[in-house]
Amino acid sequence: MMKYVFPALLGLCLGVVSAPVAMAQGPSSVAATTAAGFRPGQLWYDTEGNVINAHGGGVLLVGKTYYWYGEKRAQHEEEGVNVYSSKDLYNWKYEGVALTPSTDPQHDIAAGCLMERPKVVFNKKTGKYVMWFHLELKGKGYSAARAGVAVADKPTGPFKYVSSFRPNGNMSRDMGLYVDDDGAAYHIYSSRENYDLRLAQLSPDYLTATTQDTLLFANHREAPALFKTGGKYYLITSGCTGWAPNQATLHVADKLFGPWTLVGDPMTGPNAKLTYGGQSTYVLPVPGKKDAFIFMADKWNPKDLKDSRYLWLPIQFKAGQPTIDWMDQWDLGFFTKVSTKQL
């Protein structure tokens, strides 16, 4: 997901975003309305009528409430991690800043740093909500390439910064988190100037990486979005082309640590070879629906990062493989109207 940079490149890999929106006016706010579906690429407003500001993010389900975490962006700067809540995935209430930059200029997350690709998981053993993110230090460009960790007692935070590091000495940029059926958690991340994609199992408290850390493949990929169904693991990634969109790829494996097999491009339809202008960030399982997943992506707008859009699309299964078709508008009824698994 996200935006990584070569030492000489200050761009990021791009993504297209979309989501449910009531009306598409200015990028600031409109009168509060109720959404009843998703409209990929359109402006998406929260329940107070303000544009949702949660880029490069992920979603966590707690009970019957969803929490959406993402980068809080100004026109060009980053201002921490926002969190929103929802009961239906269409209408989102702004809960505030989940992780706020420090006012201490010497702190790892001092105001002016970059905290990208935030993902949150719940640790049943510790009872803590654990956030991981890609951290770049203030004034250092993209040279730090660290993973940052923060914890909270509630899904809305406030999250308290714990530490940052390079997992097992490896550069860590675009990233995701995945919790398997047995409760073991994993950090998937782009490394070696984004030429490697690695997977590390986390410690039981989810706060650090263990030495069980493996190179999945070396193919200049980023923006990993990992999910599992039918006993197989699937991984959608993006190429590295600065802010510009590119072709997505899909890999499949029987085990998390591989071997991973390249399947091809899961996108179909107009503009599919550019991932509909977007970049993957997360795959959201839909509770209570078999083989139902939502592909989440960002459509980056480097001229005004806050106005980067959200693109959410349903994942279908055709000939046993995940497929993502473009839809101008859809709702969760799609998963009951259409068979999501065609073997």
Side-chain angles (χ1 to χ4, degrees):
M1 99 147 207
M2 106 125 238
K3 336 146 185 190
Y4 91 96
V5 178
F6 294 100
L9 191 70
L10 290 180
L12 313 178
C13 284
L14 140 83
V16 147
V17 230
S18 56
V21 67
M23 49 177 68
Q25 297 182 13
S28 53
S29 65
V30 298
T33 56
T34 299
F38 303 102
R39 295 177 61 187
Q42 300 297 312
L43 285 168
W44 197 348
Y45 298 94
D46 65 21
T47 55
E48 295 180 349
N50 297 310
V51 172
I52 293 175
N53 193 346
H55 311 284
V59 174
L60 176 68
L61 177 63
V62 181
K64 295 183 178 181
T65 302
Y66 299 92
Y67 294 92
W68 180 1
Y69 304 88
E71 303 165 21
K72 180 183 179 183
R73 288 286 186 171
Q75 183 174 4
H76 298 294
E77 299 78 21
E78 186 180 308
E79 300 174 331
V81 177
N82 273 339
V83 57
Y84 296 79
S85 66
S86 174
K87 298 290 187 180
D88 59 11
L89 294 177
Y90 308 136
N91 300 282
W92 294 89
K93 175 186 176 183
Y94 181 56
E95 297 286 355
V97 181
L99 179 60
T100 304
S102 174
T103 56
D104 178 357
Q106 302 304 315
H107 200 284
D108 283 355
I109 60 168
C113 74
L114 293 176
M115 293 184 284
E116 301 178 329
R117 304 282 172 171
K119 303 294 184 291
V120 175
V121 292
F122 179 67
N123 189 302
K124 294 181 179 179
K125 294 180 179 179
T126 64
K128 299 288 187 181
Y129 294 89
V130 183
M131 177 189 294
W132 281 57
F133 53 94
H134 163 214
L135 174 65
E136 295 295 348
L137 304 178
K138 178 182 179 180
K140 301 294 184 180
Y142 275 75
S143 63
R146 294 186 187 180
V149 181
V151 297
D153 295 323
K154 300 186 300 181
T156 53
F159 281 77
K160 181 180 179 181
Y161 176 77
V162 175
S163 64
S164 71
F165 48 86
R166 287 186 169 186
N168 296 299
N170 299 309
M171 299 176 75
S172 178
R173 287 184 177 144
D174 271 19
M175 54 137 286
L177 292 182
Y178 179 75
V179 179
D180 212 348
D181 300 333
D182 60 0
Y186 299 84
H187 174 227
I188 184 167
Y189 62 104
S190 295
S191 190
R192 195 172 66 88
E193 302 292 1
N194 292 30
Y195 280 90
D196 291 346
L197 196 68
R198 304 188 65 90
L199 181 78
Q201 184 169 344
L202 303 188
S203 57
D205 60 9
Y206 298 176
L207 299 183
T208 59
T210 70
T211 56
Q212 191 172 356
D213 186 330
T214 299
L215 171 67
L216 300 186
F217 47 83
N219 196 23
H220 208 197
R221 307 297 296 178
E222 64 175 13
L226 178 66
F227 65 106
K228 179 182 182 181
T229 186
K232 293 184 179 295
Y233 299 92
Y234 294 95
L235 176 61
I236 299 172
T237 62
S238 163
C240 298
T241 53
W243 288 110
N246 57 67
Q247 187 171 20
T249 60
L250 174 72
H251 286 75
V252 62
D254 293 322
K255 298 180 180 179
L256 271 172
F257 285 103
W260 287 84
T261 301
L262 176 63
V263 176
D265 183 355
M267 312 297 160
T268 63
N271 208 27
K273 292 188 181 301
L274 291 178
T275 315
Y276 311 123
Q279 183 186 39
S280 49
T281 182
Y282 191 72
V283 171
L284 171 62
V286 180
K289 296 183 182 294
K290 179 177 171 58
D291 297 320
F293 299 89
I294 297 174
F295 170 73
M296 295 170 52
D298 297 279
K299 182 180 181 178
W300 299 108
N301 178 3
K303 294 182 179 180
D304 185 355
L305 291 171
K306 182 178 180 180
D307 189 40
S308 297
R309 306 294 177 83
Y310 311 101
L311 184 159
W312 291 23
L313 291 166
I315 296 178
Q316 304 177 58
F317 290 82
K318 299 179 180 180
Q321 296 295 344
T323 301
I324 302 169
D325 297 335
W326 175 258
M327 294 184 181
D328 291 325
Q329 185 171 340
W330 67 284
D331 59 43
L332 295 175
F334 171 88
F335 293 113
T336 57
K337 295 174 183 176
V338 180
S339 172
T340 58
K341 197 158 190 175
Q342 303 175 22
L343 298 177

